[in-house]
Amino acid sequence: VSRIARAPRAYLVCVGSELLAGQVNTHQAWLSVRLRRAGFDVAGESSLPDSVSEIKAAMRRALGAADAVIVCGGLGPTFDDLTREAAAAALGRGIRFVPGLWRTIRARFARYHVAVPEQNKRQAEVIEGAEVLANDNGSAPGQRLEFRGADGRARSLILLPGPYAEMAPIFRRVLPRLADRHARGAGAASFTLRLVGVPESVADERLDAVRARFPDASFTILASGGEVSFHATVRAATRAAARKQSAALRAAALKAVGRWCYGEGDATLESTVGLRLKKKRLTLAVAESCTGGLLGGRLTSVPGSSAWFRGGVIAYDNSVKSKLLGVSAALLKKRGAVSQECAEAMARGARKAAGADLGVAITGIAGPDGGTKEKPVGLVHLAVSGPGRALRARRLDIHGPRESVRARAAGAALALLKEAVDDPS
Amino acid sequence: VSRIARAPRAYLVCVGSELLAGQVNTHQAWLSVRLRRAGFDVAGESSLPDSVSEIKAAMRRALGAADAVIVCGGLGPTFDDLTREAAAAALGRGIRFVPGLWRTIRARFARYHVAVPEQNKRQAEVIEGAEVLANDNGSAPGQRLEFRGADGRARSLILLPGPYAEMAPIFRRVLPRLADRHARGAGAASFTLRLVGVPESVADERLDAVRARFPDASFTILASGGEVSFHATVRAATRAAARKQSAALRAAALKAVGRWCYGEGDATLESTVGLRLKKKRLTLAVAESCTGGLLGGRLTSVPGSSAWFRGGVIAYDNSVKSKLLGVSAALLKKRGAVSQECAEAMARGARKAAGADLGVAITGIAGPDGGTKEKPVGLVHLAVSGPGRALRARRLDIHGPRESVRARAAGAALALLKEAVDDPS
């Protein structure tokens, strides 16, 4: 029996007063996902104001609780960028000015024909013993410190710049080395299944038996916007053993929930739909009423979507449904704009208007006003139309505020579209 | 001279393993903004896994550093909902079962004709001395504890359920009482200006002198998606004095940056545009190429937008630009789809196609592919067309990834639209 190593722990420290003043912290989720995939447990996160004493105290606490501590932010050139000083104080080390680094920073500014402010000299200051992590997208380099804690265990402290475009590439480069250092003598393997069309509770229940069979793995289920993602990480004595177990776990999970699985890893519903349309050489058009463009916005978030997405009509007003999509006034009068019949007519109309193979339509009542007893807020009708394909329609009854109704309607339309593309019968 | 009270401090504790596994923590930003507006300094935030010992330790630390500690999450009925136990342990208090609360929870389930799982009994458990905060949107009530710390100062510990729809109404109700308790003998007043069309650094520089004149106020500048928001909180010995100072500060700030200010408080660019269109009884249509529906999505996020928004065309493919918007093949050939001329033709076409007073158009190269030397990734042309209004056009050169180009293009189109509505000359 192979000895399973304890999962290495990571802790996140996010520095910047803006995180306590209304700016959403997206680094936390981004870093957590990648650390987990690399085999780390993420033990906690702290957001701190720009204060040396608080940053220092948080780093010390984090280094006591975790093997690897990732700090984002506070490496800029201004007076309130204090992460370097705090890290040096937390470790009891000095800071030195590195002339070579200062030359690199000046060269960077010269490329953009900008004079270097004298205060940027601070960005050439490096903590004693730190490795400099080059920043190709900004002037603040990252820093990496390796040492042993009082308990003799290996520790890493990684300092990263705050802006996403600078932080992400540096973190991607340093992560494999971080995992190697803290997962020595053991291996990790992981996967993520992306599900749609199943409630979180049902997926959870079906996966219960799978989890019981793999007690050494760690699992997460996340539900968001009508989708569910299931992540598993396996740790074993060797990387090969971890991979083998992960493959067995993945097969068991797919047996339990595979019928709802549309993709793995970083796949999104829109990128999956796009790939399948491209493969089948089909083009798509949208007709959106209550979502007002959200579906088109998601589809065109996929790079290269012009290969399969033609465009469509935002038919918010009924006159637009009639004029641009050919929905008849009689149908609107008899069935109303929020009806299966109208959704079907809109899907056909979008296909025709934009000259596409497939048309997808959304019409519903997003609220807060406009609901009636027969057609309450949250009622949404979807339809997909295509040549050689049966017309598909779906009715949704969504509970929640306006933003949830709209987001879920767009997600459900993508799911219906995927079904129609996969199974033309 | 009036004595200025120290600003009361708040600390956020967000409980839930999902926050360390990829779920974005949006509560932190939402609560921070509201606490700051109520006169609190937000001293820090921690995200924790579902562990009694860690939640307890974080609560103790937070109560040592702050006057009011807000805890979100971990009040559900399942085994990993541990906030109640952790709070009781942190304060050294017991937990009691409240039969009346259990009746309320059962009545709630009965309304939805659902049997109450026995495990939900845990949600009727209340920490000794706690006030129950009713939850109209779920079964987990909040709890509010008031006591004095070892230093004799007043402390509050507020426990809130995790889901936004349940957390937000409870927090809104409890916030004024929280502010009253911790800001005794002093008053706070605050305002937020929303700016567009000005770089953050320029706004910052212009506001420097204003900040220097009000040394007792606290300030935040946030830039996001091409917009800048400026928030100020003034504290004084009385509420009346705070209001008076805040009004003087606001007047000074408006003098400095008022020309870019489109609204205050919770106003968004889309809600502001909508209000002005409604007031002038004008209707709007969109024509979107590279944004693919993002602009329509933002406009229709405004409740009641059907009063002024007609819809429009997502003209991703050039054939759709021609067919639905009437952009001539000659123009597309001569100038290209990403040109001022095409944007203007699209804006006119949208207005006509949707029967609206005003048309707004976006065409650009979002990347990562499709750029050329003459028309690089990030080049965007906007236009607004309307009867009795000069045609307005604007060229943007946006640096950043695909998502930034698209988001900024949509924001800039809203700004151009606002100009056109305000000033028809």
Side-chain angles (χ1 to χ4, degrees), chain A residues 157-178:
Chain A
L157 178 65
I158 311 284
L159 311 184
L160 300 171
Y164 170 80
E166 303 179 29
M167 177 278 289
I170 301 178
F171 182 75
R172 282 203 181 97
R173 279 201 309 271
V174 86
L175 181 59
R177 292 195 287 153
L178 209 58

Side-chain angles (χ1 to χ4, degrees), chain B residues 247-284:
Chain B
L249 207 174
R250 179 174 163 278
L254 280 172
K255 211 165 163 185
V257 296
R259 52 181 291 210
W260 299 292
C261 178
Y262 69 78
E264 301 195 33
D266 280 333
T268 61
L269 206 38
E270 48 269 34
S271 68
T272 304
V273 165
L275 276 175
R276 298 195 187 192
L277 287 169
K278 197 175 170 184
K279 201 173 161 192
K280 299 201 174 186
R281 296 171 184 276
L282 292 169
T283 59
L284 174 67

Side-chain angles (χ1 to χ4, degrees), chain A residues 307-383:
Chain A
W308 45 267
F309 183 66
R310 281 260 189 280
V313 174
I314 302 173
Y316 212 58
D317 197 80
N318 281 355
S319 65
V320 178
K321 293 183 182 78
S322 297
K323 192 175 164 201
L324 296 185
L325 296 171
V327 181
S328 78
L331 189 158
L332 285 169
K333 198 176 169 195
K334 199 173 162 196
R335 301 294 180 180
V338 181
S339 63
Q340 184 183 325
E341 292 81 357
C342 184
E344 291 175 352
M346 286 169 69
R348 276 191 299 261
R351 183 155 72 82
K352 207 170 152 190
D357 299 312
L358 289 164
V360 56
I362 305 175
T363 178
I365 302 159
D369 303 318
T372 63
K373 200 164 176 189
E374 292 76 36
K375 298 189 177 179
V377 168
L379 173 67
V380 176
H381 284 281
L382 309 174

Side-chain angles (χ1 to χ4, degrees), chain A residues 193-196 254 257-264 276 418:
Chain A
L193 303 182
R194 309 221 167 255
L195 315 178
V196 71
L254 280 172
V257 297
R259 53 181 291 211
W260 298 294
C261 179
Y262 69 78
E264 301 194 34
R276 299 195 187 192
K418 189 190 143 287

Side-chain angles (χ1 to χ4, degrees), chain A residues 78-418:
Chain A
T78 69
F79 73 94
D80 61 354
D81 289 302
L82 303 166
T83 297
R84 281 175 295 260
E85 288 73 3
L91 303 181
R93 299 193 185 195
I95 288 185
R96 64 198 168 85
F97 175 75
V98 180
L101 195 51
W102 178 228
R103 276 194 297 275
T104 309
I105 293 171
R106 276 186 302 178
R108 186 181 163 76
F109 274 83
R111 271 208 305 285
Y112 293 103
H113 309 288
V114 175
V116 197
E118 193 62 14
Q119 62 184 7
N120 278 64
K121 258 194 167 168
R122 296 189 58 224
Q123 298 189 306
E125 289 176 355
V126 176
I127 297 159
E128 272 169 20
E131 175 195 354
V132 172
L133 306 171
N135 179 353
D136 299 332
N137 301 296
S139 56
Q143 303 194 27
R144 178 191 187 211
L145 289 133
E146 295 192 342
F147 50 94
R148 299 213 160 259
D151 55 7
R153 280 219 321 277
R155 294 283 195 287
S156 294
L157 178 65
I158 311 284
L159 311 184
L160 300 171
Y164 170 80
E166 303 179 29
M167 177 278 289
I170 301 178
F171 182 75
R172 282 203 181 97
R173 279 201 309 271
V174 86
L175 181 59
R177 292 195 287 153
L178 209 58
D180 274 349
R181 178 159 198 250
H182 296 285
R184 272 179 316 180
S190 66
F191 65 88
T192 304
L193 303 182
R194 309 221 167 255
L195 315 178
V196 71
V198 59
E200 184 186 17
S201 57
V202 173
D204 199 29
E205 207 184 321
R206 292 216 164 205
L207 288 162
D208 244 3
V210 180
R211 281 187 290 235
R213 276 179 52 201
F214 294 85
D216 293 323
S218 66
F219 303 95
T220 324
I221 277 202
L222 277 180
S224 169
E227 297 185 35
V228 174
S229 69
F230 174 69
H231 175 85
T233 299
V234 174
R235 299 188 56 75
T238 65
R239 189 154 294 181
R243 283 215 191 100
K244 201 176 156 187
Q245 267 198 52
S246 174
L249 206 174
R250 180 175 163 278
L254 280 172
K255 213 167 164 182
V257 297
R259 53 181 291 211
W260 298 294
C261 179
Y262 69 78
E264 301 194 34
D266 280 333
T268 62
L269 205 39
E270 47 270 33
S271 67
T272 304
V273 164
L275 276 175
R276 299 195 187 192
L277 288 168
K278 196 175 171 184
K279 201 172 162 193
K280 299 201 174 185
R281 294 171 185 276
L282 292 168
T283 58
L284 174 67
V286 299
E288 302 190 54
S289 184
C290 64
T291 46
L294 290 184
L295 176 59
R298 278 184 69 170
L299 288 163
T300 54
S301 71
V302 181
S305 45
S306 57
W308 45 267
F309 183 66
R310 281 260 189 280
V313 174
I314 302 173
Y316 212 58
D317 197 80
N318 281 355
S319 65
V320 178
K321 293 183 182 78
S322 297
K323 192 175 164 201
L324 296 185
L325 296 171
V327 181
S328 78
L331 189 158
L332 285 169
K333 198 176 169 195
K334 199 173 162 196
R335 301 294 180 180
V338 181
S339 63
Q340 184 183 325
E341 292 81 357
C342 184
E344 291 175 352
M346 286 169 69
R348 276 191 299 261
R351 183 155 72 82
K352 207 170 152 190
D357 299 312
L358 289 164
V360 56
I362 305 175
T363 178
I365 302 159
D369 303 318
T372 63
K373 200 164 176 189
E374 292 76 36
K375 298 189 177 179
V377 168
L379 173 67
V380 176
H381 284 281
L382 309 174
V384 175
S385 154
R389 278 168 167 75
L391 204 65
R392 274 165 199 264
R394 184 158 296 158
R395 177 198 161 111
L396 311 171
D397 295 277
I398 304 169
H399 296 276
R402 182 177 177 86
E403 64 210 71
S404 306
V405 172
R406 286 163 33 96
R408 281 184 172 254
L414 286 170
L416 187 67
L417 192 56
K418 189 190 143 287

